[in-house]
Amino acid sequence: MQPKNKKINAAITAVGMYVPEKILDNKYFESIVDTTDEWITTRTGIKERRILENGASSDMAAYAIQDMLKTTNVKPEEIDVIIVATVTPDMFFPATACLVQEKIGAKKAWGFDLSAACSGFLFALQTGASLIESGTYKKVVVVGSDKMSAITDYTDRNNCILFGDAASAVLLEPTTELQYGIKDSILFCDGSGKDVLNMKAGGSLNPATKETVEKRWHYIYQEGKTVFKAAVKGMADVSYDIMQKNGLKPEDVAYLVPHQANLRIIDATAERMGISRDKVMINIDKYGNTTAATIPLCLTEYYRGGKVKRGDNLILASFGAGYTWGAIYLTWSID
Ligand code: COA
């Protein structure tokens, strides 16, 4: 809910995206693990996902930001801050944000990486909005970029069918038109989810050894059913709660913009909010779960497809590793 004395909102003023060319369809997975197109489609909603063959998350992030800047008069050197939401940084350090800064030539920017898995974009968007609302920064880039293929075990049929690679970016700028922009957020993290969705090795707890590699601890580990149940409850509840908190009825919401992990989680969230499928942004069929990139990717595609208008109320919602989850209420401001 907007504080009464608020003078500036942070608004999304440009969007951009990058998806790699290489496509892995469900038929391909039939050839590498014991699965079927029918199982994947009915249990997840996924038909295809993109795979980055050369390069890393910073490359995809830079391409997405460049794609975004092409649509504005903003030059790279005008960017104040770059926040990269990712769980697949190029390296532990330096931060991917530094690599992106160099690649796009954002000569005056500072920045950092934000690790919140599938909720990374929402956490980064709220962080970026707060930097704008502080009055200190005028141009904050928030980009979600994940090369999930780098941490996916392609022998594990439970997980390998779920993930893909992509990046997508938004530009945040201040607006004094308070009917637009980011209006409210409800965000959570709960470390009790650490055992059911994680990548165990490579950090300070389990530094890389021959043994960690042999145990396949450098890949995503997920207990799908447990995470599924937590995600349905977490994402549906928080989406409903942000509507209640802001007095929004289903007819006031133009779109739910959900994290794209599983179509059944998305449907459960829409049902709880009382909104129909035609008011839900969905592209999981084309890209699978691209972690921090899913939500801005939806925003970019639907905006470019002419489906989102200035003044539309959007509810962005996510659930992911940690656990992390939350929802953001914003009013679209781009013509
Ligand atoms: N192809 C065929 N069968 C598969 C399969 C695949 N790719 N993956 C799993 N199965 C099997 C399982 O082995 C299990 O077989 P069993 O009953 O003989 O043991 C059966 O399908 C059902 O497995 P289950 O785990 O109950 O399926 P599910 O309906 O929960 O769907 C997921 C599995 C992973 C799609 C689902 O749990 C999910 O989406 N989880 C949450 C993902 C998520 O939101 N993550 C958070 C963000 S990253």
Side-chain angles (χ1 to χ4, degrees):
M1 207 138 19
Q2 304 261 48
K4 286 206 172 61
N5 58 355
K6 210 174 171 196
K7 294 201 175 69
I8 314 173
N9 268 0
I12 295 176
T13 56
V15 291
M17 60 182 272
Y18 172 78
V19 294
E21 275 172 27
K22 184 172 177 181
I23 296 173
L24 295 187
D25 62 13
N26 290 347
K27 282 272 164 223
Y28 170 78
F29 285 89
E30 289 182 356
S31 73
I32 61 164
V33 290
D34 181 14
T35 192
T36 59
D37 172 38
E38 207 261 334
W39 192 94
I40 301 171
T41 306
T42 54
R43 304 310 290 161
T44 71
I46 301 167
K47 300 294 284 183
E48 298 177 351
R49 54 305 270 150
R50 302 296 179 108
I51 301 297
L52 185 71
E53 291 186 280
N54 298 303
S57 293
S58 70
D59 296 301
M60 295 196 294
Y63 299 148
I65 296 168
Q66 284 159 346
D67 178 60
M68 176 186 81
L69 291 179
K70 276 194 292 195
T71 68
T72 72
N73 295 322
V74 176
K75 297 185 180 55
E77 50 274 25
E78 292 176 68
I79 296 168
D80 298 311
V81 187
I82 303 166
I83 309 176
V84 181
T86 187
V87 288
T88 51
D90 290 26
M91 296 175 270
F92 254 13
F93 66 88
T96 308
C98 302
L99 311 176
V100 172
Q101 176 279 330
E102 189 194 18
K103 282 177 180 162
I104 64 169
K107 294 199 178 75
K108 294 185 184 142
W110 65 281
F112 55 94
D113 292 3
L114 191 151
S115 173
C118 297
S119 301
F121 181 76
L122 289 199
F123 284 22
L125 190 65
Q126 177 54 55
T127 305
S130 301
L131 292 173
I132 295 280
E133 285 168 16
S134 75
T136 311
Y137 301 102
K138 303 276 182 269
K139 289 179 173 43
V140 176
V141 170
V142 176
V143 56
S145 184
D146 271 305
K147 184 184 173 184
M148 297 307 289
S149 61
I151 57 168
T152 297
D153 180 352
Y154 287 97
T155 66
D156 173 8
R157 72 170 181 171
N158 294 293
N159 286 305
C160 68
I161 51 120
L162 298 172
F163 297 98
D165 304 338
S168 186
V170 303
L171 179 65
L172 288 174
E173 293 184 272
T175 179
T176 51
E177 296 180 292
L178 297 186
Q179 67 272 37
Y180 300 113
I182 290 153
K183 292 183 168 166
D184 197 15
S185 67
I186 306 177
L187 304 171
F188 297 106
C189 70
D190 174 1
S192 69
K194 67 186 181 305
D195 297 328
V196 291
L197 181 49
N198 58 42
M199 191 176 92
K200 289 185 179 56
S204 55
L205 180 63
N206 298 301
T209 62
K210 189 164 167 282
E211 194 190 9
T212 62
V213 173
E214 280 166 3
K215 287 180 168 168
R216 308 184 88 74
W217 279 5
H218 296 269
Y219 292 124
I220 301 160
Y221 171 81
Q222 175 169 229
E223 292 174 23
K225 212 184 239 334
T226 309
V227 176
F228 183 90
K229 282 187 199 149
V232 165
K233 180 159 173 34
M235 209 161 102
D237 281 356
V238 77
S239 303
Y240 177 80
D241 289 349
I242 205 163
M243 286 175 70
Q244 295 300 305
K245 191 177 160 203
N246 290 278
L248 294 169
K249 299 190 185 63
E251 58 269 28
D252 301 324
V253 177
Y255 282 104
L256 163 66
V257 194
H259 172 58
Q260 312 278 307
N262 188 312
L263 197 50
R264 291 180 292 142
I265 300 173
I266 294 171
D267 281 340
T269 303
E271 193 181 327
R272 182 82 202 282
M273 294 167 75
I275 66 169
S276 53
R277 183 57 103 67
D278 60 317
K279 295 203 328 181
V280 183
M281 293 193 188
I282 295 170
N283 60 15
I284 189 172
D285 50 322
K286 294 191 290 182
Y287 307 123
N289 184 350
T290 58
T291 304
T294 62
I295 289 175
L297 209 53
C298 278
L299 289 174
T300 307
E301 288 201 324
Y302 274 69
Y303 170 66
R304 289 183 176 174
K307 294 181 188 151
V308 192
K309 299 182 311 296
R310 185 169 160 89
D312 279 349
N313 290 325
L314 309 182
I315 303 290
L316 284 45
S318 68
F319 191 93
Y323 297 125
T324 54
W325 72 106
I328 287 184
Y329 160 41
L330 64 84
T331 302
W332 194 250
S333 53
I334 319 177
D335 272 326

